Structures are given as structure tokens and as C-alpha cells.
Amino acid sequence: RGLGDVYKRQIDTSNLKIRLEVDGGVKEDNIGEISKSGADTFVAGSAIFNKPNYFDAIKNLKNNFS
């Protein structure tokens, strides 16, 4: 269990509409694991803007998210 699990449990039991965001280090190869840890909002600047094709970068992030 990671820290994300702790936050996710607190959010779930609070009965409030809260988003858990990860800002920094989000990439194609880890967005799925980050999501499974409870995050539901992602900032993936470098993962998109350091790629030659932004559309493909976003598509790959979405494909690895599920």
C-alpha cells in the first residue's frame, strides 16, 4: 500500500467530491500504476510536450490509463 491508497481511502470516506491529482513524473509507462493507486487527475506536461507528436502522446497516455 502506498501513500496514494491512504489518501484515496480518506477521500472515499469523507463523502466529499475530491479529486486526487498527481503533478510531475506522469508518463506513459506509469500512468496506469498511478491511477490504480487512487489518482484521478494527472498533469503530464513533459510526457506530452517532449514528444514530436502531441496527439500521439496524449493517445498513448489514455491507452495506458485504463
Side-chain angles (χ1 to χ4, degrees):
R1 291 192 158 224
L3 196 53
D5 295 325
V6 173
Y7 293 138
K8 184 65 174 163
R9 189 171 45 253
Q10 288 177 331
I11 290 169
D12 290 344
T13 59
S14 74
N15 294 320
L16 299 172
K17 291 185 180 188
I18 299 173
R19 309 291 306 234
L20 180 57
E21 178 178 305
V22 174
D23 183 348
V26 177
K27 300 175 185 155
E28 291 176 21
D29 62 350
N30 67 4
I31 194 168
E33 183 178 340
I34 294 169
S35 172
K36 288 177 187 171
S37 293
D40 55 15
T41 306
F42 310 92
V43 178
S46 296
I48 297 169
F49 297 112
N50 286 341
K51 302 286 184 175
N53 186 315
Y54 298 165
F55 177 81
D56 286 342
I58 293 168
K59 185 171 109 181
N60 289 335
L61 284 165
K62 287 180 177 181
N63 288 341
N64 288 311
F65 171 73
S66 50

Coordinates of all heavy atoms in Angstrom, one line a residue:
R1 N 0.8 -1.2 0.0 CA 0.0 0.0 0.0 C 0.9 1.2 0.0 O 1.8 1.4 0.8 CB -0.9 0.0 1.2 CG -1.9 -1.1 1.2 CD -2.9 -0.8 2.3 NE -4.1 -1.5 1.9 CZ -5.3 -1.0 1.9 NH1 -5.5 0.1 2.5 NH2 -6.3 -1.7 1.5
G2 N 0.5 2.1 -0.9 CA 1.3 3.4 -0.9 C 0.5 4.5 -0.3 O -0.6 4.4 0.2
L3 N 1.1 5.7 -0.4 CA 0.5 6.9 0.2 C -0.7 7.2 -0.6 O -1.7 7.7 0.0 CB 1.5 8.1 0.1 CG 1.3 9.3 0.9 CD1 1.0 8.9 2.4 CD2 2.4 10.3 0.8
G4 N -0.8 7.0 -1.9 CA -2.0 7.2 -2.6 C -3.2 6.4 -2.1 O -4.3 6.9 -2.1
D5 N -2.9 5.2 -1.6 CA -4.0 4.4 -1.0 C -4.6 5.1 0.2 O -5.8 5.0 0.4 CB -3.5 3.0 -0.7 CG -3.1 2.2 -1.9 OD1 -3.7 2.3 -2.9 OD2 -2.1 1.4 -1.7
V6 N -3.7 5.6 1.0 CA -4.1 6.3 2.2 C -5.0 7.5 1.9 O -6.1 7.7 2.4 CB -2.9 6.8 3.1 CG1 -3.4 7.6 4.3 CG2 -2.1 5.6 3.6
Y7 N -4.5 8.3 0.9 CA -5.3 9.5 0.5 C -6.6 9.1 -0.1 O -7.7 9.7 0.2 CB -4.5 10.3 -0.5 CG -3.3 11.0 0.1 CD1 -2.1 11.1 -0.6 CD2 -3.4 11.6 1.4 CE1 -1.0 11.7 0.0 CE2 -2.3 12.3 1.9 CZ -1.1 12.3 1.2 OH -0.1 12.9 1.7
K8 N -6.6 8.0 -0.9 CA -7.8 7.6 -1.6 C -8.9 7.1 -0.6 O -10.0 7.4 -0.7 CB -7.5 6.5 -2.6 CG -8.7 6.0 -3.4 CD -9.2 7.1 -4.3 CE -10.3 6.5 -5.2 NZ -11.1 7.6 -5.8
R9 N -8.4 6.4 0.4 CA -9.3 5.9 1.5 C -9.9 7.1 2.3 O -11.1 7.1 2.5 CB -8.6 5.0 2.4 CG -9.5 4.3 3.4 CD -8.8 3.2 4.2 NE -7.5 3.6 4.8 CZ -6.3 3.1 4.3 NH1 -6.3 2.3 3.3 NH2 -5.2 3.5 4.8
Q10 N -9.1 8.1 2.6 CA -9.6 9.3 3.2 C -10.6 10.0 2.4 O -11.7 10.5 2.9 CB -8.5 10.3 3.6 CG -7.6 9.8 4.7 CD -6.5 10.7 5.0 OE1 -6.0 11.4 4.1 NE2 -6.0 10.7 6.3
I11 N -10.3 10.2 1.1 CA -11.3 10.8 0.2 C -12.6 10.0 0.1 O -13.7 10.6 0.2 CB -10.6 11.0 -1.2 CG1 -9.5 12.0 -1.2 CG2 -11.7 11.3 -2.3 CD1 -8.6 12.0 -2.4
D12 N -12.5 8.7 0.0 CA -13.7 7.9 -0.2 C -14.6 8.0 1.1 O -15.8 7.9 0.9 CB -13.3 6.4 -0.5 CG -12.7 6.3 -1.9 OD1 -12.9 7.2 -2.7 OD2 -12.1 5.2 -2.1
T13 N -14.0 8.1 2.2 CA -14.8 8.1 3.5 C -15.2 9.5 3.9 O -16.0 9.6 4.8 CB -14.0 7.4 4.6 OG1 -12.8 8.2 4.8 CG2 -13.7 6.0 4.4
S14 N -14.8 10.5 3.2 CA -15.1 11.9 3.5 C -16.5 12.3 3.0 O -17.1 13.3 3.5 CB -14.1 12.9 3.0 OG -14.2 13.0 1.6
N15 N -17.0 11.5 2.0 CA -18.3 11.9 1.4 C -18.3 13.3 0.7 O -19.3 13.9 0.6 CB -19.5 11.8 2.4 CG -19.7 10.4 2.9 OD1 -19.6 9.5 2.1 ND2 -20.0 10.3 4.2
L16 N -17.1 13.7 0.4 CA -16.9 15.0 -0.4 C -16.5 14.6 -1.8 O -15.8 13.6 -2.0 CB -15.9 15.8 0.3 CG -16.2 16.3 1.7 CD1 -15.0 17.0 2.3 CD2 -17.4 17.2 1.7
K17 N -16.7 15.5 -2.7 CA -16.3 15.3 -4.1 C -14.9 15.9 -4.2 O -14.7 17.1 -4.4 CB -17.2 16.0 -5.1 CG -18.5 15.3 -5.2 CD -19.4 15.9 -6.3 CE -20.7 15.2 -6.3 NZ -21.5 15.6 -7.4
I18 N -13.9 15.1 -4.1 CA -12.5 15.5 -4.1 C -11.7 14.7 -5.2 O -11.9 13.5 -5.3 CB -11.8 15.2 -2.7 CG1 -12.5 16.0 -1.6 CG2 -10.3 15.5 -2.7 CD1 -12.1 15.6 -0.2
R19 N -10.9 15.5 -5.9 CA -10.0 14.8 -6.9 C -8.6 14.7 -6.4 O -8.1 15.5 -5.6 CB -10.0 15.7 -8.2 CG -11.3 16.2 -8.8 CD -12.1 15.2 -9.4 NE -11.5 14.4 -10.4 CZ -11.9 14.2 -11.6 NH1 -13.0 14.8 -12.0 NH2 -11.3 13.4 -12.5
L20 N -8.0 13.6 -6.7 CA -6.6 13.3 -6.3 C -5.7 13.5 -7.5 O -5.8 12.7 -8.4 CB -6.4 11.9 -5.6 CG -5.1 11.6 -5.2 CD1 -4.6 12.6 -4.1 CD2 -5.1 10.2 -4.6
E21 N -4.9 14.5 -7.5 CA -4.1 14.9 -8.7 C -2.6 14.6 -8.4 O -2.1 14.8 -7.4 CB -4.2 16.4 -8.9 CG -3.4 16.9 -10.1 CD -3.6 18.3 -10.4 OE1 -4.7 18.8 -10.5 OE2 -2.6 19.1 -10.4
V22 N -2.0 14.0 -9.5 CA -0.6 13.8 -9.5 C 0.0 14.8 -10.5 O -0.4 14.8 -11.7 CB -0.2 12.4 -9.8 CG1 1.3 12.2 -10.0 CG2 -0.7 11.4 -8.7
D23 N 0.9 15.6 -10.1 CA 1.6 16.6 -10.9 C 3.1 16.4 -10.9 O 3.7 16.7 -9.9 CB 1.2 18.0 -10.4 CG 1.8 19.1 -11.3 OD1 2.6 18.8 -12.2 OD2 1.4 20.3 -11.1
G24 N 3.6 15.9 -12.0 CA 5.0 15.6 -12.1 C 5.3 14.2 -12.2 O 4.9 13.3 -11.4
G25 N 6.1 13.8 -13.2 CA 6.6 12.5 -13.4 C 5.6 11.5 -14.0 O 5.8 10.3 -14.1
V26 N 4.5 12.0 -14.4 CA 3.4 11.2 -15.1 C 3.9 10.9 -16.5 O 4.1 11.8 -17.3 CB 2.1 11.9 -15.1 CG1 1.0 11.0 -15.8 CG2 1.6 12.2 -13.6
K27 N 4.0 9.6 -16.8 CA 4.5 9.2 -18.2 C 3.6 8.0 -18.6 O 2.9 7.5 -17.9 CB 5.9 8.8 -18.1 CG 6.9 9.9 -17.6 CD 8.3 9.4 -17.5 CE 9.1 10.5 -16.9 NZ 10.2 10.0 -16.2
E28 N 3.8 7.7 -19.9 CA 3.1 6.5 -20.5 C 3.3 5.3 -19.7 O 2.3 4.5 -19.5 CB 3.6 6.3 -21.9 CG 3.2 7.3 -22.9 CD 3.9 7.0 -24.3 OE1 4.2 5.8 -24.5 OE2 4.0 7.9 -25.1
D29 N 4.5 5.0 -19.2 CA 4.8 3.8 -18.5 C 4.4 3.7 -17.0 O 4.5 2.7 -16.4 CB 6.2 3.4 -18.7 CG 7.2 4.4 -18.0 OD1 6.7 5.5 -17.6 OD2 8.4 4.1 -18.0
N30 N 3.9 4.8 -16.5 CA 3.5 4.8 -15.1 C 2.1 5.3 -14.8 O 1.6 5.3 -13.6 CB 4.5 5.5 -14.2 CG 4.6 7.0 -14.4 OD1 3.9 7.6 -15.1 ND2 5.6 7.6 -13.7
I31 N 1.4 5.9 -15.8 CA 0.1 6.5 -15.5 C -0.9 5.4 -15.0 O -1.8 5.7 -14.2 CB -0.4 7.2 -16.8 CG1 -1.6 8.1 -16.3 CG2 -0.7 6.3 -17.9 CD1 -2.0 9.1 -17.4
G32 N -0.8 4.2 -15.5 CA -1.7 3.1 -15.1 C -1.5 2.8 -13.6 O -2.5 2.7 -12.9
E33 N -0.3 2.7 -13.2 CA 0.0 2.4 -11.8 C -0.4 3.6 -10.9 O -1.0 3.4 -9.8 CB 1.5 2.2 -11.6 CG 1.9 1.8 -10.2 CD 3.4 1.5 -10.1 OE1 4.0 1.2 -11.1 OE2 3.9 1.5 -9.0
I34 N -0.2 4.8 -11.4 CA -0.6 6.0 -10.6 C -2.2 6.0 -10.4 O -2.7 6.2 -9.4 CB -0.2 7.3 -11.3 CG1 1.4 7.3 -11.3 CG2 -0.8 8.5 -10.6 CD1 2.0 8.4 -12.1
S35 N -2.8 5.6 -11.5 CA -4.3 5.5 -11.4 C -4.8 4.5 -10.5 O -5.7 4.7 -9.7 CB -4.9 5.3 -12.8 OG -6.2 5.0 -12.8
K36 N -4.1 3.3 -10.5 CA -4.5 2.2 -9.6 C -4.3 2.6 -8.1 O -4.9 2.1 -7.2 CB -3.7 1.0 -10.0 CG -4.2 0.3 -11.2 CD -3.4 -0.9 -11.6 CE -3.8 -1.4 -13.0 NZ -2.9 -2.4 -13.5
S37 N -3.3 3.5 -7.9 CA -3.1 4.0 -6.6 C -4.1 5.0 -6.0 O -4.0 5.4 -4.9 CB -1.7 4.6 -6.5 OG -0.7 3.6 -6.7
G38 N -5.0 5.4 -6.9 CA -6.1 6.3 -6.5 C -6.2 7.6 -7.1 O -7.2 8.3 -7.0
A39 N -5.2 8.0 -7.9 CA -5.2 9.3 -8.5 C -6.3 9.3 -9.7 O -6.5 8.3 -10.3 CB -3.9 9.7 -9.1
D40 N -6.9 10.4 -9.9 CA -7.9 10.5 -10.9 C -7.7 11.8 -11.8 O -8.5 12.0 -12.7 CB -9.3 10.4 -10.4 CG -9.6 11.5 -9.3 OD1 -8.9 12.5 -9.2 OD2 -10.6 11.4 -8.6
T41 N -6.7 12.5 -11.5 CA -6.4 13.7 -12.3 C -4.9 13.7 -12.4 O -4.1 13.5 -11.5 CB -6.8 15.0 -11.5 OG1 -8.2 14.9 -11.2 CG2 -6.6 16.2 -12.4
F42 N -4.4 14.0 -13.7 CA -3.0 13.9 -14.0 C -2.5 15.1 -14.7 O -3.1 15.6 -15.6 CB -2.7 12.7 -14.9 CG -3.4 11.4 -14.3 CD1 -4.6 11.1 -14.7 CD2 -2.7 10.6 -13.4 CE1 -5.3 10.0 -14.2 CE2 -3.3 9.5 -12.9 CZ -4.6 9.2 -13.3
V43 N -1.3 15.6 -14.4 CA -0.6 16.6 -15.1 C 0.6 15.9 -15.7 O 1.5 15.4 -15.1 CB -0.1 17.8 -14.2 CG1 0.7 18.8 -14.9 CG2 -1.3 18.4 -13.4
A44 N 0.6 15.9 -17.1 CA 1.7 15.2 -17.8 C 2.3 16.1 -18.8 O 2.3 15.8 -20.0 CB 1.0 14.0 -18.5
G45 N 2.9 17.2 -18.4 CA 3.5 18.2 -19.3 C 4.6 17.6 -20.1 O 4.5 17.6 -21.4
S46 N 5.6 17.2 -19.5 CA 6.8 16.7 -20.3 C 6.5 15.4 -21.1 O 7.0 15.2 -22.2 CB 8.0 16.3 -19.3 OG 8.4 17.5 -18.6
A47 N 5.6 14.6 -20.6 CA 5.2 13.4 -21.3 C 4.5 13.7 -22.6 O 4.5 12.9 -23.5 CB 4.3 12.5 -20.4
I48 N 4.0 14.9 -22.7 CA 3.3 15.4 -24.0 C 4.3 16.3 -24.8 O 4.5 16.1 -25.9 CB 2.0 16.1 -23.7 CG1 1.0 15.1 -23.0 CG2 1.4 16.7 -24.9 CD1 -0.2 15.8 -22.4
F49 N 4.8 17.3 -24.1 CA 5.5 18.4 -24.8 C 6.9 18.0 -25.2 O 7.5 18.7 -26.1 CB 5.4 19.7 -24.0 CG 4.0 20.2 -23.9 CD1 3.4 20.2 -22.6 CD2 3.3 20.6 -25.0 CE1 2.1 20.7 -22.5 CE2 1.9 21.0 -24.8 CZ 1.4 21.1 -23.6
N50 N 7.4 16.9 -24.7 CA 8.8 16.5 -25.1 C 8.7 15.5 -26.3 O 9.7 14.9 -26.6 CB 9.5 15.9 -24.0 CG 10.0 17.0 -23.0 OD1 10.1 18.1 -23.4 ND2 10.4 16.6 -21.8
K51 N 7.5 15.2 -26.8 CA 7.2 14.3 -27.9 C 7.0 15.1 -29.2 O 6.5 16.2 -29.1 CB 6.0 13.4 -27.6 CG 6.1 12.6 -26.3 CD 7.1 11.5 -26.5 CE 7.0 10.6 -25.2 NZ 7.8 9.4 -25.3
P52 N 7.4 14.5 -30.3 CA 7.2 15.2 -31.6 C 5.8 15.3 -32.0 O 5.4 16.3 -32.7 CB 8.0 14.4 -32.6 CG 8.2 13.0 -31.9 CD 8.1 13.3 -30.4
N53 N 4.9 14.4 -31.5 CA 3.5 14.4 -31.9 C 2.7 14.4 -30.7 O 2.5 13.4 -30.0 CB 3.2 13.2 -32.8 CG 1.8 13.2 -33.3 OD1 0.8 13.5 -32.6 ND2 1.7 12.9 -34.6
Y54 N 2.1 15.6 -30.3 CA 1.3 15.7 -29.1 C 0.1 14.8 -29.1 O -0.3 14.2 -28.1 CB 0.8 17.2 -28.9 CG 1.9 18.2 -28.8 CD1 1.7 19.5 -28.9 CD2 3.2 17.8 -28.4 CE1 2.7 20.5 -28.7 CE2 4.2 18.8 -28.3 CZ 4.0 20.1 -28.4 OH 4.9 21.0 -28.3
F55 N -0.6 14.7 -30.3 CA -1.8 13.9 -30.4 C -1.4 12.4 -30.0 O -2.2 11.8 -29.2 CB -2.3 14.0 -31.8 CG -3.5 13.1 -32.0 CD1 -4.8 13.5 -31.6 CD2 -3.4 11.8 -32.6 CE1 -5.9 12.7 -31.8 CE2 -4.5 11.0 -32.8 CZ -5.8 11.4 -32.4
D56 N -0.4 11.9 -30.6 CA 0.0 10.5 -30.2 C 0.4 10.4 -28.8 O 0.1 9.4 -28.2 CB 1.2 10.1 -31.1 CG 0.8 9.8 -32.6 OD1 -0.5 9.6 -32.8 OD2 1.6 9.7 -33.4
A57 N 1.1 11.4 -28.2 CA 1.5 11.3 -26.8 C 0.3 11.2 -25.9 O 0.2 10.4 -25.0 CB 2.3 12.5 -26.5
I58 N -0.8 12.1 -26.2 CA -2.0 12.0 -25.4 C -2.7 10.7 -25.6 O -3.2 10.1 -24.6 CB -2.9 13.2 -25.8 CG1 -2.2 14.5 -25.3 CG2 -4.3 13.1 -25.1 CD1 -2.8 15.8 -25.9
K59 N -2.8 10.3 -26.8 CA -3.4 9.0 -27.1 C -2.7 7.8 -26.3 O -3.4 7.0 -25.7 CB -3.4 8.7 -28.6 CG -4.1 7.5 -29.0 CD -4.2 7.4 -30.5 CE -3.3 6.3 -31.0 NZ -3.3 6.1 -32.4
N60 N -1.4 7.8 -26.3 CA -0.7 6.8 -25.6 C -0.9 6.9 -24.1 O -1.0 5.8 -23.4 CB 0.8 6.9 -25.9 CG 1.1 6.4 -27.3 OD1 0.4 5.7 -27.9 ND2 2.2 6.9 -27.8
L61 N -1.0 8.1 -23.5 CA -1.3 8.2 -22.1 C -2.7 7.7 -21.8 O -2.9 6.9 -20.8 CB -1.2 9.7 -21.7 CG 0.2 10.3 -21.5 CD1 0.1 11.8 -21.5 CD2 0.8 9.7 -20.3
K62 N -3.7 8.0 -22.6 CA -5.0 7.5 -22.4 C -5.1 6.0 -22.5 O -5.8 5.3 -21.8 CB -6.0 8.1 -23.4 CG -6.3 9.6 -23.1 CD -7.2 10.1 -24.2 CE -7.6 11.5 -23.9 NZ -8.6 12.1 -24.9
N63 N -4.4 5.4 -23.5 CA -4.4 3.9 -23.7 C -3.7 3.2 -22.5 O -4.1 2.1 -22.2 CB -3.6 3.6 -25.0 CG -4.4 3.9 -26.2 OD1 -5.6 4.1 -26.2 ND2 -3.7 4.0 -27.3
N64 N -2.8 3.8 -21.8 CA -2.1 3.2 -20.7 C -2.8 3.5 -19.4 O -2.4 3.0 -18.3 CB -0.7 3.7 -20.6 CG 0.2 3.1 -21.7 OD1 0.2 1.9 -21.9 ND2 0.9 3.9 -22.4
F65 N -3.8 4.4 -19.4 CA -4.5 4.8 -18.2 C -5.5 3.8 -17.7 O -5.7 3.5 -16.6 CB -5.2 6.1 -18.5 CG -6.2 6.6 -17.5 CD1 -5.7 7.0 -16.3 CD2 -7.6 6.5 -17.7 CE1 -6.6 7.5 -15.3 CE2 -8.4 6.9 -16.7 CZ -8.0 7.4 -15.5
S66 N -6.2 3.1 -18.7 CA -7.2 2.2 -18.3 C -6.8 1.0 -17.6 O -6.4 0.6 -16.7 CB -7.9 1.6 -19.5 OG -7.0 1.2 -20.5

